[in-house]
Amino acid sequence: MERKNVWSLYDSSQLAELGRINERYKSCLDAGKTERECVELSIRMAQEAGYRDLQDVMAKGETLKSGDKVYAVCMSKMLALFRIGEEPISAGMNILGAHIDSPRIDVKQNPLYENEEFAYLDTHYYGGIKKYQWVAQPLALHGVVVKKDGTVTKVSIGEEEGDPVFVITDLLIHLAQEQMEKKASKVIEGEKLDLLIGNRPAEKVLDETSEPDQSSDNGGSGKKSDQVKANVLRLLKEKYDMDEEDFTSAELEIVPAGKARDCGLDRSMIISYGQDDRVCAFTSLFAMLDVTDAKRTGCCLLVDKEEIGSVGATGMHSKFFENTVAELIALTEGESELKVRRALANSRMLSSDVSAAYDPMFAEAFEKRSSAFFANGITFNKFTGSRGKSGSNDANAEYIAALRKAMDDAGVAYQFAELGRVDLGGGGTIAYIMANYGMEVIDSGVAVLNMHAPYEVTSKADVYEAVKGYRAFLKI
Ligand code: MN
Ligand code: MN
């Protein structure tokens, strides 16, 4: 298949739409740096587009009909949107799926400690990262703290102008002779990824903000242990009404601080944290909200935990999606276990996740004829997996042919690729899990440079083609 860079094919109105979509995409990346933030943002956008909470529909005892739009949420971390089509749901849905969790560093449950007057948060990383990439740069803290009374406090520190940020330190090059001899996997070890969050003892702060108390001569420094930690705890109490024990029921994620930005003198690319897989998630969501009428029921499924195997209640292996479809069948065609199974088996899915973009700097890792190239459009992967396709979904040839036609008819640029050279590594997605229902599933998505690095790079043209491709898919 001939390669075709799409930039030269766009007219001015297409370039204008490309610009609008990418600006919107960047603002979504900035607002959604954790799975919870992505769900919250997506719900807000869906509500503005006329989507209603499925729980409300059920509570009111209403039924659903063609054209109705609903969403369902699982534990604030997984979201499914549905637009009921003209055909019954049991005839099958067109499903856009992507994941909204990204590689990052999580704060442990008993994290706060002081070492030589530095206060740290102990961490355990999440997903596949090159640990040495996460040191010596500004980091932000996002998440929630849940108190015993059920109060949920949102935390976001390091994104606003004027916010403090945090850092994981690296060893200075002058003393790194031994470190530099180590294997890359050992240069920075997992337990050394602790986040530096303070260096100022509690008493000093009090001295500065109040008049010196002449009577309390406590004999010089008055060094009690862990005064820096005590000061951090004081600040957490002030700002979040949080006690040290509340870390145990918190979900705090450490991510690179700062916003998504244009990349390149020609502004042809976007550099940002979390584009795996939010570049597919947000483009799928945009298409879902754009398409307001279609023959078949449309679904946009945004899942958590893909980076650690799609496990747990909010991962793709969860029964949440199947249960939600059962509720929808009950509200449209009447309760029927058989119709639920038919709905799932008759569905088609674009399981969208990022592809490894061909990188000339690492040409040896790729086989050119089966690589995804920037600005060559949405990528389809018949197979993923590793070592002889182990763990892969295999998209059916008949299904691929139907997608080729749909993409060609809608003027969408697309390419076929595998993840890197044979036997070099590999990866999985959520495709094989949905394929278990017997539905047609293909891996698709957007090519990314630097995948899983703190900052990943995509092509604006591919972001645009993805939205076009997803819109076309929802209409077939
Ligand atoms: Mn991914
Ligand atoms: Mn990934």
Side-chain angles (χ1 to χ4, degrees):
M1 224 169 87
E2 209 186 320
R3 266 166 55 197
K4 201 164 30 178
N5 186 303
V6 292
W7 280 106
S8 58
L9 305 177
Y10 295 141
D11 61 27
S12 58
S13 79
Q14 285 173 310
L15 285 171
E17 192 187 16
L18 178 152
R20 281 195 302 276
I21 285 172
N22 277 282
E23 285 308 307
R24 191 177 180 206
Y25 169 52
K26 281 190 290 176
S27 68
C28 287
L29 285 172
D30 296 341
K33 295 182 93 166
T34 67
E35 56 282 19
R36 282 176 185 264
E37 289 175 356
C38 286
V39 165
E40 199 182 316
L41 171 67
S42 302
I43 289 176
R44 208 159 57 228
M45 289 163 64
Q47 284 172 341
E48 278 164 19
Y51 281 75
R52 299 164 63 205
D53 191 336
L54 180 61
Q55 293 295 333
D56 293 343
V57 174
M58 288 162 60
K60 288 186 179 140
E62 297 175 28
T63 56
L64 293 171
K65 57 179 191 317
S66 172
D68 284 348
K69 295 178 278 193
V70 292
Y71 65 86
V73 195
C74 181
M75 297 181 188
S76 309
K77 289 182 253 187
M78 181 179 185
L79 176 67
L81 284 77
F82 298 88
R83 185 199 20 75
I84 312 297
E86 293 155 26
E87 294 178 357
I89 299 174
S90 56
M93 299 168 283
N94 289 3
I95 304 167
L96 294 170
H99 69 91
I100 48 174
D101 61 318
S102 295
R104 60 175 189 256
I105 299 172
D106 285 339
V107 174
K108 284 187 184 177
Q109 263 32 72
N110 180 23
L112 183 60
Y113 70 94
E114 178 172 336
N115 188 349
E116 299 301 336
E117 299 179 329
F118 286 120
Y120 291 96
L121 290 179
D122 199 358
T123 69
H124 189 164
Y125 64 97
Y126 173 96
I129 63 170
K130 289 178 169 177
K131 295 185 263 293
Y132 66 80
Q133 291 180 332
W134 292 71
V135 297
Q137 62 174 303
L139 297 168
L141 198 58
H142 290 244
V144 294
V145 180
V146 187
K147 307 268 292 178
K148 276 198 285 185
D149 67 2
T151 324
V152 181
T153 308
K154 281 187 229 165
V155 175
S156 171
I157 312 170
E159 302 294 352
E160 296 301 319
E161 194 80 31
D163 267 11
V165 293
F166 311 98
V167 70
I168 297 165
T169 53
D170 196 0
L171 184 61
L172 63 166
I173 184 70
H174 313 70
L175 299 178
Q177 202 170 308
E178 286 173 10
Q179 185 197 32
M180 298 300 279
E181 296 303 318
K182 289 182 182 174
K183 281 169 58 180
S185 60
K186 301 278 182 193
V187 165
I188 301 288
E189 302 211 35
E191 283 295 355
K192 294 263 172 75
L193 281 177
D194 291 356
L195 191 70
L196 178 58
I197 61 163
N199 177 229
R200 187 170 171 172
E203 287 165 341
K204 277 268 171 55
V205 176
L206 296 177
D207 285 347
E208 274 179 22
T209 52
S210 59
E211 286 297 307
D213 185 356
Q214 313 290 15
S215 64
S216 78
D217 182 4
N218 55 11
S221 67
K223 235 195 178 84
K224 283 176 274 163
S225 64
D226 286 359
Q227 281 303 296
V228 176
K229 175 180 168 180
N231 193 37
V232 165
L233 283 170
R234 183 184 64 84
L235 291 167
L236 289 174
K237 185 77 187 170
E238 249 174 50
K239 200 162 162 54
Y240 299 109
D241 189 30
M242 176 180 174
D243 299 309
E244 188 172 4
E245 293 71 32
D246 293 329
F247 274 114
T248 56
S249 51
E251 287 174 5
L252 297 171
E253 305 180 6
I254 297 158
V255 298
K259 293 184 188 314
R261 306 182 73 165
D262 286 348
C263 182
L265 204 55
D266 54 11
R267 296 178 181 271
S268 58
M269 300 169 280
I270 289 175
I271 183 164
S272 170
Y273 166 70
Q275 298 201 72
D276 175 5
D277 181 31
R278 293 170 192 145
V279 69
C280 298
F282 287 126
T283 48
S284 291
L285 178 68
F286 295 167
M288 183 71 188
L289 302 182
D290 287 346
V291 173
T292 49
D293 66 301
K295 217 163 66 235
R296 282 159 69 93
T297 293
C299 170
C300 177
L301 183 57
L302 304 180
V303 300
D304 179 28
K305 298 290 183 287
E306 192 276 341
E307 296 295 354
I308 57 168
S310 298
V311 291
T314 57
M316 192 65 255
H317 279 297
S318 148
K319 293 275 183 275
F320 166 74
F321 178 70
E322 191 181 319
N323 292 346
T324 305
V325 172
E327 299 288 2
L328 287 182
I329 292 282
L331 296 180
T332 51
E333 299 169 55
E335 210 175 313
S336 161
E337 181 60 29
L338 182 61
K339 283 183 176 169
V340 173
R341 291 192 210 180
R342 283 179 185 158
L344 293 165
N346 291 331
S347 288
R348 324 176 172 115
M349 182 183 199
L350 291 186
S351 168
S352 288
D353 207 340
V354 289
S355 261
Y358 183 84
D359 186 342
M361 292 296 114
F362 298 94
E364 67 283 0
F366 298 89
E367 190 274 292
K368 255 192 194 174
R369 266 172 303 120
S370 300
S371 293
F373 287 86
F374 261 30
N376 275 239
I378 185 171
T379 303
F380 291 110
N381 316 82
K382 181 169 164 64
F383 286 104
T384 57
S386 55
R387 286 166 283 100
K389 305 175 178 177
S390 176
S392 174
N393 173 59
D394 172 11
N396 207 18
E398 288 84 346
Y399 181 45
I400 297 178
L403 289 174
R404 284 173 57 205
K405 177 167 173 15
M407 297 299 130
D408 283 338
D409 288 352
V412 178
Y414 59 96
Q415 52 187 329
F416 285 88
E418 290 196 2
L419 182 64
R421 187 154 62 73
V422 171
D423 279 343
L424 196 62
T429 64
I430 61 171
Y432 73 98
I433 307 164
M434 293 293 269
N436 287 337
Y437 291 115
M439 69 173 74
E440 299 275 20
V441 187
I442 188 167
D443 278 289
S444 60
V446 176
V448 172
L449 286 172
N450 287 353
M451 193 192 296
H452 281 210
Y455 296 93
E456 302 168 311
V457 183
T458 54
S459 157
K460 288 185 180 177
D462 295 334
V463 170
Y464 179 45
E465 294 300 326
V467 174
K468 283 167 57 188
Y470 296 148
R471 284 178 190 152
F473 170 77
L474 288 173
K475 290 191 168 178
I476 57 170

